[in-house]
Amino acid sequence: MNVGEEILKAAARELEEETAISLSTAELRQVGPYHAPGRDPRGRVVTIAYTATLPTPVPPAAGDDASDARWWPLDALPDLAFDHDQILKDAQAPRSTV
């Protein structure tokens, strides 16, 4: 996040910078916060994860500090870093409508 930036705007900006996929903040759905100490061995990192449903398939393009961007079938994912497998499971879980 940039100084003074709202979290949803940061998420939409980062999505576009890293993948060239542009979505409005209204199209993002928060999965949740991930903040356990030690979740990233490089240092203290707090993540707020989001999902979105694209109306039509869009090919991602790596940008900014991403070396690659592509879609993977959920049943053929490569090994995921840190707690990213849990984030992905949480993103696929049914949402409560309370």
Side-chain angles (χ1 to χ4, degrees):
M1 290 179 59
N2 294 325
V3 174
E5 187 175 36
E6 295 176 2
I7 195 159
L8 267 172
K9 289 181 181 179
R13 177 184 52 75
E14 280 293 322
L15 175 65
E16 186 167 11
E17 286 178 4
E18 305 299 343
T19 67
I21 296 172
S22 180
L23 295 176
S24 72
T25 58
E27 295 173 283
L28 299 176
R29 178 182 65 85
Q30 188 180 114
V31 174
Y34 298 85
H35 49 80
R39 64 178 287 267
D40 186 331
R42 299 171 297 181
R44 182 71 168 132
V45 176
V46 174
T47 295
I48 309 295
Y50 292 87
T51 64
T53 301
L54 300 174
T56 58
V58 177
D64 197 25
D65 60 345
S67 61
D68 190 17
R70 62 178 128 161
W71 298 112
W72 292 85
L74 290 174
D75 61 356
L77 291 171
D79 289 336
L80 301 176
F82 320 128
D83 59 354
H84 295 177
D85 56 338
Q86 185 61 55
I87 295 170
L88 186 60
K89 286 177 190 170
D90 293 348
Q92 295 175 77
R95 299 284 292 184
S96 157
T97 56
V98 175

